[in-house]
Amino acid sequence: MSITFISEHNVFKLDGKDYTYLIGVYDNRYLLTLYYGKKIEIVDPSRLMVTRELGFSPSPHEDFYRRDRSLDTMLQECPTFGYGDFRIPSIMIEQENGSRCLDLRYKSYEFLSDKPLISQMPSLKEDDHCDSLKITLKDEVSGVEVDLFYNVYQNRNVLTRHLKIRNTGKEKLIISKAMSCSFDLRDNQFDLLQLIGTHCEERHIEVTPLRHGISKIESRRCTSSHMLNPFMALCRKDVNEYNGEVYGINLVYSGNYEGTIEVDQRHTTRVQMGIGSFDFAWPLMANEVFETPEVVMVYSPNGLNAMSQTFHDLYNDCLLKKHYHHPIVVNNWEATYFDFNEEKLTKLIESAKGLGIETFVLDDGWFAKRNNDESSLGDWVVNTQKLPNGLEKIADICKKNKLGFGLWFEPEMISEESSLYKNHPEYAIRISNRPHLYSRCQLVLDLSKKEVCDYIIKAISDVVDNLPITYIKWDFNRNITETQNKQLCHKYVLGLYYVLDAITSKYPNIMIEGCSGGGGRFDPAMLYYTPQIWTSDDTDAIERLYIQYGTSIVYPPTSMVGHVSVTPNHQTGRVTPFKTRGIVAMSANFGYELNPQVLSEAEQEMVKAQTKEYQHLRKVIYNSSFYRLRSPYKGNDCAWSFVSKNKKEVYVMYVRILNAATNEFDYLLLKGLDEKKIYLDVANNVKYTGSELMNVGLLLPRHPYDFNGIMYHFKEVRE
Ligand code: DGJ
């Protein structure tokens, strides 16, 4: 059992693989974070419930003579507003008399036999060694009861949390803040790592020293966003990829969120993450319950790479559905954009035959009058001008050429110029007395309404039921504005999960690739439904180094999609070697974003070699540990590797960015191998010991030009 209640000290002890988390019940009243860090045994954990008097820190009413007792100075698990703690609360609830004060006191605890599901939202599956605890707190005056849930994955460095708020009183309450987790650390000696970006530049790594006051990441776009991923890490000052303590936190949610850190007057650090409280208010009537999404907390005593591996293994094992086939695709977006017809597509599909490509994905532009991005979203009927023989004909051509058939949808959107809008203008999100606000000329369907969700499910089913579709690309190309009320964003997200639940249950074998103008909705909740996500609309291999490297901080390569596109690259104009483009794309779920007809014979041969290699590589990737070896953020090159879990097989990818005339001796040190094994460099037929590759390294060749990419494949050989 990884969770124990030490009754003589009133302390809960939660033990993961390398961490301990201690929660104390102070004076049978308040729930305190006593410790979160490296795994420990402790004689008397109640010693950690230290209180000291501090000026201007008020005491609860029964502690008139105990000035040392103040919620303002204690390290808390579920801080509230108005009862002495001036730091950020994790819960704010307005009562009918206008008070937002809550005095949440310990009521009870329960060990749960199963990890609880969260109503209407996706959450992680338990593994064979997961224990769950519920602690209940209550404010007697308002009747607010809060259940705090803790799930300890005892063989991993993972703790997940969420909470339930119950109105046991008679009044109407309004929740304006409800964080999925809050905990206090005893010092502030951390840097904050966050994943920042924009469209075509997602999840770049930014590290800043923690300062006093509040540091915050958030999204106010009703989506997890390109700009700030719902992830943050607190890193000890000496952290690098392989050393030092890191606390990583990721929210399983796709809407407005916030991650907040406050360093207070005593230099302690409060950490919180949950649904965004910006423009949020949720009425809670008597007997109603509100649940928050799940937050995943990972502790690493051994640097960033170990933290990432913990997230990767957890998401591979307990989040991403396993039964899907991840095919090598060719997608026509960059090959044709909107400008295609049956003849063009036929040639494109035929030219993919024999190259090892497994699925053709028909992107935007196949429906209604969609010849540019100004119309037709919502009308999911074929564009007969372009495809007079319907999608059936395209599916047929795919079949003849032994390719699966995939189709693009942007189900959550509506164009003003569409039959759907003519018949149901009320389906679009808007403020009734104001004109529409456009983004990419389109509007968003109001998924907070059940009839709109049901329309989407039916519209997709009507297409999919009549075609042999094996793959869907689910796009989302604008953020949400004009939210008429403070519940809309959360209700929208719940509606989205309702739709995705329905579609994935109805079509369990159709692989859905998630997309939001690239990686604008790359979060664990979307990954639950769409087990691979188009990582970015930027297909330039060099820019992708930064994007995929940053994404790998949390999300496994098995969840990313990477495609080889033509050069000059459509986003940057850069010309990179075909081989390099392949190496970068193959480190994600692999495919092509081009018309194979435009490739030279030599390039077509390279495609055949790449797809053959990838068919083997993907088996390794899906059962491997990922190592970041050189960061593009720190130098002029980038390197990473996949080491199979049994350490018998290794792929190493290396990309040099700009070349130099100097003929340097550059040894790349590998990680995670078996010191004693002998590894054969398959292409060059050279043998190395594991200890040699990790300590002497691999001598890189002289680079012939800029953007040179090299891929090594090692296999264990027996002497
Ligand atoms: C944005 C996506 O990221 C692209 O790959 C493509 O599908 C376009 N939308 C189509 O409109």
Side-chain angles (χ1 to χ4, degrees):
M1 188 72 177
S2 57
I3 307 177
T4 43
F5 180 60
I6 311 169
S7 51
E8 69 266 37
H9 301 305
N10 256 355
V11 168
F12 296 93
K13 186 163 187 279
L14 283 54
D15 285 308
K17 182 168 163 273
D18 300 308
Y19 74 85
T20 295
Y21 194 99
L22 294 173
I23 304 163
V25 186
Y26 180 73
D27 198 27
N28 245 339
R29 287 191 273 164
Y30 297 114
L31 205 64
L32 309 184
T33 321
L34 300 185
Y35 175 80
Y36 182 26
K38 197 159 183 168
K39 199 167 193 169
I40 51 164
E41 290 308 327
I42 185 160
V43 177
D44 178 2
S46 66
R47 276 202 294 251
L48 298 169
M49 299 194 219
V50 193
T51 60
R52 279 193 193 152
E53 184 182 340
L54 199 68
F56 297 90
S57 289
S59 305
H61 65 94
E62 58 272 69
D63 295 320
F64 186 82
Y65 296 108
R66 291 291 305 265
R67 294 185 192 188
D68 61 316
R69 284 189 178 172
S70 171
L71 295 182
D72 201 27
T73 58
M74 296 183 190
L75 302 181
Q76 297 199 56
E77 274 294 284
C78 190
T80 55
F81 172 76
Y83 220 70
D85 188 346
F86 291 104
R87 293 165 292 179
I88 40 168
S90 77
I91 296 180
M92 286 275 280
I93 298 180
E94 187 172 333
Q95 296 133 59
E96 273 183 1
N97 67 359
S99 159
R100 282 93 55 231
C101 180
L102 278 186
D103 182 18
L104 280 178
R105 299 197 172 197
Y106 176 74
K107 185 177 167 206
S108 60
Y109 76 92
E110 187 186 344
F111 292 126
L112 307 173
S113 51
D114 297 308
K115 180 174 186 284
L117 294 171
I118 303 179
S119 137
Q120 299 178 278
M121 279 179 270
S123 55
L124 299 182
K125 277 191 308 207
E126 56 190 332
D127 63 12
D128 293 340
H129 306 279
C130 181
D131 295 317
S132 301
L133 165 72
K134 177 174 87 172
I135 301 178
T136 303
L137 311 175
K138 184 161 187 175
D139 174 57
E140 288 298 340
V141 174
S142 64
V144 169
E145 252 186 33
V146 180
D147 294 333
L148 305 173
F149 293 91
Y150 299 83
N151 305 295
V152 178
Y153 288 74
Q154 58 173 293
N155 292 345
R156 308 172 191 264
N157 283 321
V158 176
L159 170 65
T160 77
R161 293 177 59 175
H162 77 282
L163 48 90
K164 256 188 200 176
I165 301 175
R166 220 174 3 263
N167 182 352
T168 70
K170 292 197 173 64
E171 293 183 2
K172 174 183 175 184
L173 305 171
I174 296 178
I175 304 172
S176 59
K177 188 174 180 189
M179 293 293 98
S180 297
C181 79
S182 182
F183 57 92
D184 288 344
L185 298 169
R186 285 172 303 149
D187 67 283
N188 65 339
Q189 292 307 297
F190 297 102
D191 287 333
L192 171 64
L193 184 152
Q194 52 192 49
L195 299 174
I196 62 163
T198 182
H199 179 223
C200 285
E201 198 188 80
E202 296 89 338
R203 290 170 299 286
H204 276 227
I205 299 170
E206 184 179 79
V207 181
T208 47
L210 213 56
R211 54 180 175 75
H212 282 80
I214 291 176
S215 311
K216 191 170 192 176
I217 58 165
E218 70 179 326
S219 166
R220 297 183 295 274
R221 296 168 177 267
C222 262
T223 176
S224 45
S225 92
H226 299 81
M227 293 74 193
L228 278 169
N229 198 263
F231 167 81
M232 57 189 186
L234 287 180
C235 309
R236 287 291 178 196
K237 298 283 180 187
D238 58 351
V239 155
N240 60 33
E241 285 286 6
Y242 296 96
N243 296 297
E245 242 183 345
V246 187
Y247 301 79
I249 305 170
N250 192 201
L251 190 66
V252 188
Y253 189 64
S254 315
N256 284 349
Y257 75 88
E258 69 188 61
T260 318
I261 297 172
E262 181 172 11
V263 178
D264 78 338
Q265 54 178 334
R266 290 189 308 134
H267 325 299
T268 66
T269 302
R270 175 160 292 174
V271 186
Q272 300 183 338
M273 196 176 253
I275 292 177
S277 58
F278 177 84
D279 202 35
F280 173 79
W282 195 270
L284 199 70
M285 310 310 273
N287 299 320
E288 282 185 353
V289 171
F290 179 80
E291 280 191 85
T292 70
E294 185 169 37
V295 76
V296 182
M297 295 161 51
V298 168
Y299 171 78
S300 165
N302 301 316
L304 280 167
N305 202 86
M307 178 202 70
S308 303
Q309 287 185 353
T310 304
F311 274 113
H312 295 181
D313 290 345
L314 178 75
Y315 290 169
N316 280 328
D317 297 343
C318 304
L319 181 72
L320 303 172
K321 292 186 184 139
K322 283 210 167 65
H323 63 277
Y324 289 109
H325 171 57
H326 296 256
I328 303 173
V329 309
V330 58
N331 176 305
N332 73 309
W333 179 241
E334 286 199 12
T336 64
Y337 295 103
F338 292 105
D339 182 18
F340 61 82
N341 55 30
E342 188 180 296
E343 196 191 338
K344 252 195 194 178
L345 293 185
T346 306
K347 286 189 178 144
L348 190 156
I349 295 165
E350 285 173 351
S351 67
K353 189 182 177 181
L355 295 180
I357 293 168
E358 297 162 340
T359 292
F360 166 66
V361 180
L362 176 53
D363 211 283
D364 196 354
W366 60 265
F367 50 94
K369 297 184 186 130
R370 185 82 166 172
N371 297 317
N372 54 40
D373 60 13
E374 291 164 12
S375 81
S376 303
L377 292 167
D379 294 349
W380 302 109
V381 288
V382 74
N383 180 330
T384 44
Q385 258 187 344
K386 288 179 181 175
L387 306 174
N389 298 305
L391 291 169
E392 291 76 5
K393 183 70 193 291
I394 304 299
D396 210 41
I397 300 165
C398 285
K399 194 171 166 207
K400 283 202 181 99
N401 290 281
K402 298 197 167 38
L403 296 179
F405 179 40
L407 202 56
W408 180 96
F409 288 91
E410 197 176 355
E412 299 155 70
M413 298 292 162
I414 179 168
S415 304
E416 211 167 357
E417 203 193 313
S418 69
S419 313
L420 182 64
Y421 189 84
K422 272 186 203 102
N423 296 329
H424 289 291
E426 78 285 5
Y427 278 14
I429 291 178
R430 76 174 307 171
I431 293 177
S432 45
N433 60 352
R434 291 179 189 275
H436 283 308
L437 198 67
Y438 303 101
S439 179
R440 208 194 189 202
C441 307
Q442 64 197 54
L443 310 171
V444 188
L445 286 169
D446 188 349
L447 271 68
S448 72
K449 295 179 177 154
K450 180 153 185 316
E451 67 271 25
V452 176
C453 295
D454 290 336
Y455 153 77
I456 295 175
I457 297 166
K458 182 170 181 318
I460 296 177
S461 304
D462 285 348
V463 178
V464 173
D465 285 343
N466 296 308
L467 288 166
I469 282 180
T470 54
Y471 191 102
I472 286 174
K473 181 172 171 190
W474 186 296
D475 210 343
F476 178 79
N477 283 308
R478 67 163 285 180
N479 293 152
I480 301 178
T481 53
E482 300 145 283
T483 48
Q484 174 118 35
N485 61 62
K486 293 180 177 181
Q487 296 97 56
L488 193 134
C489 279
H490 184 52
K491 284 189 179 164
Y492 181 95
V493 176
L494 298 181
L496 171 63
Y497 297 152
Y498 168 81
V499 172
L500 283 164
D501 250 332
I503 298 292
T504 51
S505 322
K506 201 166 171 192
Y507 306 105
N509 295 322
I510 295 184
M511 156 64 81
I512 308 184
E513 173 189 340
C515 177
S516 169
R521 206 160 53 177
F522 210 124
D523 61 64
M526 286 310 290
L527 283 173
Y528 176 84
Y529 298 108
T530 67
Q532 57 182 47
I533 293 180
W534 181 227
T535 319
S536 179
D537 272 347
D538 188 344
T539 59
D540 175 81
I542 300 307
E543 302 243 309
R544 274 288 186 125
L545 292 177
Y546 297 85
I547 294 169
Q548 294 180 191
Y549 202 89
T551 305
S552 82
I553 290 284
V554 200
Y555 304 103
T558 49
S559 66
M560 302 182 212
V561 179
H563 290 172
V564 172
S565 58
V566 295
T567 54
N569 177 268
H570 288 195
Q571 290 78 42
T572 61
R574 186 180 281 128
V575 177
T576 51
F578 198 84
K579 187 175 161 206
T580 304
R581 281 176 267 156
I583 288 170
V584 175
M586 264 192 235
S587 301
N589 289 289
F590 186 48
Y592 295 86
E593 187 96 4
L594 46 71
N595 184 346
Q597 284 176 292
V598 305
L599 298 177
S600 67
E601 250 176 57
E603 285 172 332
Q604 296 209 2
E605 286 310 309
M606 283 169 85
V607 173
K608 284 185 199 162
Q610 284 173 343
T611 53
K612 189 158 176 246
E613 181 84 65
Y614 182 72
Q615 276 160 359
H616 179 73
L617 170 61
R618 96 180 131 191
K619 289 190 207 136
V620 177
I621 291 184
Y622 272 83
N623 194 19
S624 70
S625 299
F626 181 72
Y627 290 88
R628 288 183 295 268
L629 302 174
R630 284 197 191 167
S631 168
Y633 294 92
K634 293 195 172 145
N636 189 22
D637 58 5
C638 183
W640 62 97
S641 69
F642 299 94
V643 179
S644 68
K645 290 280 180 196
N646 61 12
K647 298 183 189 276
K648 289 184 174 188
E649 215 167 336
V650 183
Y651 274 93
V652 179
M653 280 76 166
Y654 174 88
V655 177
R656 165 80 175 210
I657 302 177
L658 292 182
N659 203 9
T662 49
N663 189 4
E664 64 226 7
F665 291 85
D666 187 7
Y667 286 86
L668 178 67
L669 298 178
L670 305 194
K671 291 277 180 191
L673 310 185
D674 182 334
E675 290 202 336
K676 298 208 171 76
K677 282 193 187 345
I678 307 285
Y679 292 95
L680 174 73
D681 170 352
V682 176
N684 301 308
N685 199 23
V686 182
K687 288 178 192 162
Y688 301 85
T689 63
S691 59
E692 182 184 354
L693 286 170
M694 291 193 290
N695 295 294
V696 180
L698 190 63
L699 179 60
L700 297 169
R702 188 170 189 187
H703 302 290
Y705 32 63
D706 287 344
F707 317 127
N708 187 35
I710 312 168
M711 182 161 82
Y712 296 92
H713 179 200
F714 295 95
K715 271 185 172 171
E716 182 197 9
V717 282
R718 299 201 186 279
E719 282 298 84

